[in-house]
Amino acid sequence: MTTTTIAGTDVHVDEEGFMTEYDEWTEDHGRALASAIGITEMTDDHWEAIRFLRSDFAEQGETATLRRVTKVGGIPTKKLFQLFPKKPAKKMAYVAGLPKPHGCV
């Protein structure tokens, strides 16, 4: 496992830069990771999706798919594509400090 510095602290990441240790993540990390992928402002809507992903991961043990975020989290797919353009599931997981969801390229 590799370590890198995000928001001034060392964290563990995989070869694609996704954080690998759930407990190392903070909202400061989330803001820094979002900025790194071009999301300049984390709105309440962004945080709603990120908080759902993190709480769902804590319960389920794996990163939620886009479909699960829509169905269980109640956030419409169209809105997720507006908040996290092009690859919302992958981008949400990255910002949330979680592993890439199964099925994401």
Side-chain angles (χ1 to χ4, degrees):
M1 229 182 313
T2 306
T3 60
T4 190
T5 303
I6 300 171
T9 59
D10 290 337
V11 296
H12 293 87
V13 295
D14 67 14
E15 63 279 349
E16 293 183 76
F18 285 81
M19 290 179 66
T20 58
E21 301 294 326
Y22 180 85
D23 293 330
E24 290 181 346
W25 185 90
T26 66
E27 287 192 5
D28 286 339
H29 292 120
R31 281 187 279 279
L33 291 165
S35 178
I37 60 171
I39 299 170
T40 56
E41 180 186 354
M42 289 290 287
T43 66
D44 289 342
D45 289 340
H46 286 95
W47 286 117
E48 176 186 9
I50 298 305
R51 289 183 183 119
F52 170 78
L53 234 59
R54 290 196 52 84
S55 67
D56 191 69
F57 182 87
E59 292 174 15
Q60 301 297 316
E62 64 183 30
T63 305
T65 61
L66 188 64
R67 182 181 183 107
R68 183 166 175 81
V69 176
T70 298
K71 296 290 183 190
V72 179
I75 306 169
T77 303
K78 184 175 180 177
K79 184 175 184 179
L80 294 172
F81 271 91
Q82 291 169 343
L83 295 169
F84 302 94
K86 297 187 180 166
K87 295 187 177 187
K90 186 174 181 178
K91 288 181 177 182
M92 286 186 298
Y94 183 76
V95 172
L98 301 173
K100 186 168 60 170
H102 294 294
C104 273
V105 179

